[in-house]
Amino acid sequence: EVQLVESGGGLVQPGRSLRLSCAASGFTFDDYAMHWVRQAPGKGLEWVSGINWNSGSIGYADSVKGRFTISRNNAKNSLYLQMNSLRPEDTALYYCAKGFIDNWNYDWFDSWGQGTLLTVSS
Amino acid sequence: DIVMTQTPLSLSVTPGQPASISCKSSQSLLHSDGKTYLYWFLQKPGQSPHLLIYEVSSRFSGVPDRFSGSGSGTDFTLKISRVEAEDVGVYYCMQGIHLPPYTFGQGTKLEIK
């Protein structure tokens, strides 16, 4: 059974940094692309970033480009999201999602974690 | 970015009755490879989203056959043939061709009468 467990969320002041983690199990991690998707409180879904199986290709939403960095450690079956220069509008539940293929392009999200909540506020 | 527009934004359905949700994209989701990159997700109350339909009409593993997807180009529909109480939640369509980013519809909230 696929399991994705996010961690690292919390309350952080604007302008500060935080790193989210996603521990994956139940599948061959380095066979698949991985993604981060967020959901602001009471709002819809927003794709944040995706990374292909070997970190060779990465994509970001314009809203986070230059501030967020996605990465993965296949040896540790883990996905990360380094978030810098955080803004109040980054406040959201951040989901880790498994891709269906090995490339973040033309992919879809066939398993989701439960999310980790980030609150950016002074 | 591609805009995905869902209608209605909410609907209330009697158990056993059908339901239909429309999703329109601002550009065609048909790729030169012949695939159409349109997906449907359901987010049940208090849960994370899960995949229902991929590439317009293919049901994901474990999805009941009362769910069906159809459409082409820019117009798509998710149909539930007979709504059950467990189908409540917010339904999202998503495009996966004009990237980045992946974009979702606003969501359609399904309630049971």
Side-chain angles (χ1 to χ4, degrees):
Chain A
E1 177 191 3
V2 172
Q3 283 203 322
L4 301 168
V5 180
E6 302 93 337
S7 61
L11 174 63
V12 63
Q13 293 180 326
R16 304 298 288 265
S17 298
L18 203 67
R19 189 177 85 152
L20 305 182
S21 299
C22 171
S25 61
F27 64 101
T28 304
F29 185 70
D30 56 8
D31 277 352
Y32 298 97
M34 296 294 295
H35 302 262
W36 289 100
V37 179
R38 69 185 181 183
Q39 186 170 35
K43 301 297 184 182
L45 301 170
E46 180 188 16
W47 176 82
V48 173
S49 182
I51 185 169
N52 78 342
W53 69 281
N54 66 354
S55 306
S57 179
I58 286 172
Y60 296 100
D62 283 348
S63 58
V64 306
K65 192 178 296 183
R67 300 187 300 122
F68 289 13
T69 302
I70 191 172
S71 63
R72 63 190 295 163
N73 184 327
N74 288 344
K76 294 185 176 181
N77 289 349
S78 293
L79 177 72
Y80 307 102
L81 187 67
Q82 177 66 41
M83 305 181 293
N84 299 331
S85 304
L86 284 164
R87 305 167 179 169
E89 55 264 36
D90 295 319
T91 295
L93 187 62
Y94 283 74
Y95 294 105
C96 165
K98 172 186 169 292
F100 192 75
I101 59 175
D102 60 2
N103 190 331
W104 71 269
N105 278 285
Y106 309 114
D107 197 5
W108 64 89
F109 319 135
D110 65 3
S111 295
W112 301 58
Q114 289 304 303
T116 186
L117 181 62
L118 168 68
T119 302
V120 183
S121 174
S122 53
Chain B
D1 295 357
I2 302 302
V3 177
M4 305 295 288
T5 303
Q6 291 181 226
T7 54
L9 297 183
S10 66
L11 68 165
S12 183
V13 182
T14 301
Q17 294 300 302
S20 179
I21 301 170
S22 170
C23 175
K24 297 183 187 296
S25 58
S26 58
Q27 293 185 36
S28 175
L29 303 186
L30 175 62
H31 193 274
S32 57
D33 64 8
K35 297 179 182 178
T36 301
Y37 291 83
L38 184 283
Y39 308 89
W40 290 97
F41 298 87
L42 166 60
Q43 186 173 30
K44 294 184 178 182
Q47 297 185 16
S48 53
H50 65 271
L51 178 68
L52 292 174
I53 301 286
Y54 63 95
E55 293 175 2
V56 179
S57 59
S58 296
R59 275 187 302 276
F60 187 58
S61 175
V63 175
D65 61 8
R66 64 179 181 276
F67 290 93
S68 64
S70 62
S72 63
T74 61
D75 291 352
F76 305 94
T77 302
L78 175 71
K79 291 184 179 178
I80 309 173
S81 58
R82 294 172 305 280
V83 170
E84 298 187 4
E86 66 180 23
D87 300 336
V88 297
V90 181
Y91 291 79
Y92 294 95
C93 61
M94 184 193 81
Q95 67 85 19
I97 183 173
H98 301 284
L99 306 171
Y102 291 85
T103 50
F104 295 86
Q106 319 97 299
T108 295
K109 186 174 184 179
L110 174 66
E111 298 177 328
I112 299 296
K113 281 185 182 176

